[in-house]
Amino acid sequence: MVRNPVASGQFYPGSPSQLKAMIKGLVDEEAVKEEVIGLISPHAGYAYSGLVAAAAISRIRFKDTFIIMGPNHTGEGKPLSIMTQGTWKTPLGRVKIDSELGKQILANSSHLQEDYEAHQHEHSIEVQLPFLQYFKPDIKLVPIILSYSSDTTYKEIGRELAQAIKDLNREVVIIASSDMTHYESQESAKRKDTQAIDAILALDEDELLKRVRELNISMCGYAPAVSLISAARELGATGAELVGYQTSGDTTGDYTSVVGYAGVIIKGMSPLVKLAKTAVESSIRGARAPQPEELTPEMKLKAGVFVSIHKLGELRGCIGTFEPTRDNVAEEITANAISSATRDPRFPPVASSELEDLTYSVDVLTKPEPVESQDQLDPRKYGVIVECGGRRGLLLPDLEGVDTVDYQIDICRQKAGIEPDEPVKLYRFEVRRYK
């Protein structure tokens, strides 16, 4: 079964070359990619909401499959519908449905029904696809339409999605396709949308439902947003970020009657951080730390790695390697995570009773390079290594409270036992930080 485009030539250009050119002008290809569980992205014409959608999608680290949930603007088909087989077409090519995942979701769900009709003329899912195809032409899709139902049903659907993802041990991104307030003044729309966005950022689906109802917020995709938040919480969401907000008035100049658009990413734990967490928990509980079945591209690299552990916001351990000492980053993480938890001389070993209160971050270091003077250092951008003879002290970049190069170097001297008047060699490095 092929689902043909209905928004092509209206919401976005029908010509492949024109569509690619338009998307290229909207996205930020240099944006730092985040490990996300999902996002909220608008679905109006690209001239109106394209910048917000592009800003959100530009920030995500892509997976092979996207579950996209949209509202039903047409009233056609079953109210809670999923397609588990077939292909969707856009001017940029075909997108296959991930049948394995779709059928697992359907099997898990007591609410969703197999249906094509609800999707046939609905634009809310379709308009997301060209953005995704631009970055990754071979994505797969699981399309879901959510129409009117109960609050409990939306939350249960989210949990069912999460369970299906866990059952198949799959890495996916979930998109809730939604615009915000419709056809109110700019002032009213921004005031109402701020209330809805605050609830989303708090990952509080009940508060979102309450505010939509009490404030009469005409957010067309609130149901997909609720299901997304419910799923994200089950999948270990670590927080959410508003990437962009604007209204149709910002395009037309007419602020008397606008539609609001918000782009929100819901962040998940990086696979590198999951590996560090698993290594610590296994070690503390007396088990052997497992290695991932398949290494991510970052895990295959060879680099120095530092693992930092915090407990209720306070440092609980931090140990790492200046340069690679093992076959790959995955092995560096495992070893250094266990050392941070058990061998940091500043702290007693982590106890099993503390594990639930711990958070982790992983810094993967670039190769240190010598610098001629402090002018080549920046405490936000570069970490520092201070060396004198066989003594070396290292400090990671972008640390709270460390705002000057002099302070960076002083801390490194203290770590290495280097006196203030001893001559030193300076090195700098950058990090890729995972949380």
Side-chain angles (χ1 to χ4, degrees):
M1 182 177 294
V2 176
R3 192 273 188 189
N4 290 305
V6 297
S8 175
Q10 301 177 60
F11 284 70
Y12 57 81
S15 157
S17 60
Q18 291 177 1
L19 178 54
K20 282 185 179 179
M22 185 175 193
I23 294 173
K24 184 175 182 178
L26 294 170
V27 300
D28 180 1
E29 298 191 48
E30 302 302 317
V32 175
K33 308 303 181 188
E34 300 269 4
E35 193 72 34
V36 305
I37 292 172
L39 63 151
I40 294 175
S41 177
H43 55 236
Y46 285 10
Y48 300 98
S49 67
L51 273 174
V52 174
I57 291 170
S58 294
R59 287 283 302 280
I60 68 173
R61 185 168 287 119
F62 271 58
K63 309 298 183 187
D64 291 337
T65 295
F66 285 77
I67 298 171
I68 307 181
M69 296 182 287
N72 189 330
H73 293 87
T74 68
E76 298 175 8
K78 294 182 170 66
L80 305 171
S81 70
I82 182 172
M83 287 181 65
T84 65
Q85 53 189 352
T87 303
W88 284 48
K89 286 178 64 177
T90 80
L92 300 186
R94 293 173 178 251
V95 178
K96 292 182 180 179
I97 289 177
D98 187 330
S99 292
E100 181 187 33
L101 180 58
K103 289 176 180 178
Q104 186 67 40
I105 292 170
L106 184 59
N108 281 11
S109 181
S110 55
H111 304 287
L112 295 174
Q113 295 178 281
E114 180 82 55
D115 181 49
Y116 170 77
E117 188 177 350
H119 298 266
Q120 188 172 6
H121 299 112
E122 174 57 48
H123 72 276
S124 60
I125 294 174
E126 176 188 327
V127 296
Q128 308 293 341
L129 295 179
F131 282 112
L132 304 180
Q133 290 174 293
Y134 178 85
F135 283 105
K136 193 176 191 305
D138 61 344
I139 60 159
K140 290 185 178 181
L141 166 71
V142 177
I144 296 172
I145 291 291
L146 302 182
S147 188
Y148 294 107
S149 191
S150 69
D151 297 353
T152 299
T153 295
Y154 300 141
K155 290 187 285 186
E156 288 178 354
I157 287 173
R159 290 192 289 270
E160 291 165 352
L161 294 183
Q163 188 57 55
I165 292 168
K166 291 177 182 178
D167 289 344
L168 296 180
N169 193 27
R170 297 286 292 277
E171 290 195 346
V172 306
V173 175
I174 307 170
I175 297 180
S177 182
S178 181
D179 297 337
M180 302 301 289
T181 292
H182 288 65
Y183 310 123
E184 298 188 26
S185 70
Q186 176 90 350
E187 180 182 3
S188 176
K190 290 187 76 171
R191 183 176 64 252
K192 290 185 175 183
D193 290 347
T194 297
Q195 293 295 312
I197 290 166
D198 285 348
I200 293 167
L201 296 179
L203 300 178
D204 189 337
E205 62 268 54
D206 290 322
E207 187 63 25
L208 175 60
L209 287 163
K210 178 184 175 184
R211 293 183 182 188
V212 165
R213 190 170 294 114
E214 291 183 353
L215 300 175
N216 193 28
I217 301 173
S218 51
M219 176 183 177
C220 56
Y222 77 90
V226 167
S227 294
L228 166 60
I229 295 170
S230 180
R233 287 161 61 91
E234 292 290 320
L235 294 170
T238 59
E241 178 186 341
L242 177 65
V243 176
Y245 176 84
Q246 65 181 46
T247 73
S248 58
D250 297 320
T251 298
T252 66
D254 179 3
Y255 295 104
T256 60
S257 180
V258 306
V259 179
Y261 313 114
V264 178
I265 57 175
I266 299 180
K267 301 178 184 181
M269 188 181 293
S270 160
L272 278 68
V273 177
K274 286 181 184 176
L275 178 59
K277 181 175 185 288
T278 301
V280 169
E281 292 177 350
S282 299
S283 175
I284 298 304
R285 290 170 175 151
R288 183 177 178 181
Q291 285 295 306
E293 293 181 6
E294 184 175 347
L295 299 184
T296 67
E298 300 95 332
M299 290 179 183
K300 295 176 182 178
L301 302 174
K302 295 191 73 170
V305 171
F306 271 72
V307 176
S308 301
I309 303 173
H310 287 77
K311 178 181 178 182
L312 303 176
E314 299 294 328
L315 185 66
R316 186 63 179 81
C318 179
I319 285 181
T321 44
F322 290 32
E323 296 183 84
T325 61
R326 299 175 184 272
D327 289 341
N328 54 51
V329 162
E331 293 182 8
E332 300 278 352
I333 291 171
T334 298
N336 294 341
I338 294 171
S339 293
S340 295
T342 61
R343 301 189 186 99
D344 189 324
R346 297 168 293 179
F347 306 98
V350 167
S352 58
S353 59
E354 298 179 87
L355 292 175
E356 290 187 2
D357 296 325
L358 302 182
T359 57
Y360 303 80
S361 65
V362 174
D363 287 287
V364 179
L365 282 59
T366 61
K367 186 176 180 179
E369 59 181 11
V371 297
E372 298 300 323
S373 74
Q374 294 184 198
D375 294 338
Q376 296 174 274
L377 300 176
D378 178 338
R380 292 296 173 205
K381 183 176 182 181
Y382 297 113
V384 177
I385 298 172
V386 175
E387 182 179 79
C388 179
R391 294 166 292 165
R392 292 199 299 174
L394 176 148
L395 192 69
L396 298 170
D398 197 21
L399 298 178
E400 185 177 356
V402 182
D403 300 319
T404 67
V405 171
D406 285 338
Y407 192 27
Q408 269 190 316
I409 292 173
D410 286 345
I411 294 173
C412 289
R413 283 180 176 272
Q414 293 171 32
K415 284 186 167 188
I418 302 171
E419 296 297 326
D421 58 348
E422 290 187 86
V424 296
K425 293 181 180 179
L426 298 176
Y427 301 82
R428 72 182 187 185
F429 60 89
E430 296 182 70
V431 302
R432 186 77 179 269
R433 182 161 292 160
Y434 300 87
K435 296 182 177 181

